[in-house]
Amino acid sequence: MTTDRASASYAALRFEVVDAIATITLDRPDALNALTVPLKTELLAAFRAVARDRSVRAVVLTGAGRAFCAGQDLKERLEPDAAPLAVELRERYNPIIAAMRALDQPIVGAINGVAAGAGASLAFACDVRLAAEGASFVLAFGRIGLVPDSGSTWFLPRLVGPAKAAELALLGETLSAPDAERFGLVTRVVPPDSLAEEARATAARLAALAPVALALTKRALERSWSVDLDAALEDEAFRQGIAGATADHAEGLAAFLAKRPPRFTGE
Ligand code: T3D
């Protein structure tokens, strides 16, 4: 089923929901989908719309044209009324990253081209990343005298380990898609023509799973970084208590015993 219930309110991105999968496409291809105030405002609104919509079971985030996202629009930054950097981060970037990480539904990043600066941070904030051959990641911040932001310093060491993270953050070297796969930053590299289809297939697999269990799993994985094993064990027991009480758990058991695919409803 296709709905464009929210598309009308977006100009710098495309938002569509088909068969329980929301696809958000950053849509400023001439500027490599660089992030302007309107695009950031719309991106936050799109994630908030997904958060409110239980019929959406998975999200694909991608970019139009040859780039995923080139980070902050540097031309906009030179405008006289541009907000101070720290304000821009606190008021626009950080809420987007927080909304992505707080989302119950999993986000599949379809990294179609270069992901630079805060564009790389957007990719890192996805739950699963697929990359097109030819895509790349670059923490371009140092090249313009800035510090990696929008969660890069938090995500990157967790995703690729501290040594590689330091190299990427300090030297600002470009990481190719095959190297990103080698370091575990992306799940799979695929031919550019297959990326949308592969991302959609991954999202469809996620959308068919039990939504409450998926949301709890996302939280447990995130929490594991800041607690010891005893706390993680207790956290798992707590979350399993919630998952075990859902109708979807009963459905999963019934489907297993009946040797049929489960039909999860999110209840
Ligand atoms: O508010 C705040 O500033 C705080 C938050 C900061 C977060 C950040 O994201 S800071 C980092 C900002 N991003 C960058 O520094 C990346 C800048 N871009 C690049 O380094 C390169 O463009 C790329 C490595 C991404 C791609 O290189 P390439 O050779 O494939 O493309 P290109 O020729 O450089 O760019 C193509 C066009 O896109 C070009 O426009 P033109 O000349 O054809 O009209 C270029 O100006 C435009 N473009 C690319 N990146 C940006 C951009 N326009 C505005 N802002 C950009 N970030």
Side-chain angles (χ1 to χ4, degrees), residues 244-258:
T246 60
D248 278 346
H249 172 53
E251 164 62 8
L253 285 179
F256 174 77
L257 294 172

Side-chain angles (χ1 to χ4, degrees), residues 101-167:
R101 295 314 305 155
L103 204 65
D104 283 344
Q105 298 97 326
I107 306 171
V108 178
I111 316 303
N112 52 302
V114 64
S121 307
L122 288 180
F124 301 158
C126 295
D127 296 292
V128 176
R129 279 162 294 281
L130 303 181
E133 294 163 2
S136 58
F137 299 84
V138 54
L139 296 194
F141 304 90
R143 297 177 186 179
I144 53 169
L146 289 182
V147 174
D149 62 26
S150 308
S152 281
T153 61
W154 192 89
F155 291 116
L156 205 53
R158 287 165 168 80
L159 290 168
V160 300
K164 194 68 190 172
E167 187 187 324

Side-chain angles (χ1 to χ4, degrees), residues 28-36 40 66-67 69-77 82-89 92-93 114-121 136 138-144 146-150 174:
R28 302 188 63 236
D30 291 347
L32 306 190
N33 303 315
L35 297 158
T36 55
K40 284 175 270 188
R66 72 176 174 93
C69 175
Q72 168 64 34
D73 188 305
L74 297 174
K75 292 166 188 162
E76 182 187 67
R77 177 117 292 291
L85 289 168
V87 172
E88 191 63 21
L89 285 168
R92 295 214 170 80
Y93 282 97
V114 64
S121 307
S136 58
V138 54
L139 296 194
F141 304 90
R143 297 177 186 179
I144 53 169
L146 289 182
V147 174
D149 62 26
S150 308
T174 300

Side-chain angles (χ1 to χ4, degrees), residues 164-250:
K164 194 68 190 172
E167 187 187 324
L168 294 171
L170 294 172
L171 292 172
E173 283 183 353
T174 300
L175 189 68
S176 68
D179 282 346
E181 184 179 20
R182 205 157 52 84
F183 284 100
L185 185 59
V186 302
T187 308
R188 206 162 61 253
V189 178
V190 300
D193 292 348
S194 319
L195 180 68
E197 190 186 320
E198 294 266 356
R200 195 166 174 78
T202 302
R205 284 176 56 199
L206 290 162
L209 295 170
V212 173
L214 276 188
L216 291 166
T217 303
K218 281 185 60 168
R219 301 280 160 277
L221 288 171
E222 194 121 324
R223 188 154 190 274
S224 74
W225 288 107
S226 57
V227 298
D228 61 19
L229 176 60
D230 284 345
L233 290 169
E234 176 48 36
D235 188 60
E236 288 174 356
F238 170 74
R239 292 178 200 280
Q240 203 66 297
I242 299 171
T246 60
D248 278 346
H249 172 53

Side-chain angles (χ1 to χ4, degrees), residues 5 15 17 20-24 46-61 97-109 125-128 202-203 206-219 222 266:
R5 51 188 172 266
F15 179 98
V17 180
I21 299 167
T23 300
I24 300 172
F47 282 118
R48 287 187 171 158
V50 169
R52 289 190 301 271
D53 190 342
R54 297 291 104 190
S55 73
V56 173
R57 305 269 284 259
V59 180
V60 174
L61 178 64
I97 300 299
M100 291 175 73
R101 295 314 305 155
L103 204 65
D104 283 344
Q105 298 97 326
I107 306 171
V108 178
C126 295
D127 296 292
V128 176
T202 302
L206 290 162
L209 295 170
V212 173
L214 276 188
L216 291 166
T217 303
K218 281 185 60 168
R219 301 280 160 277
E222 194 121 324

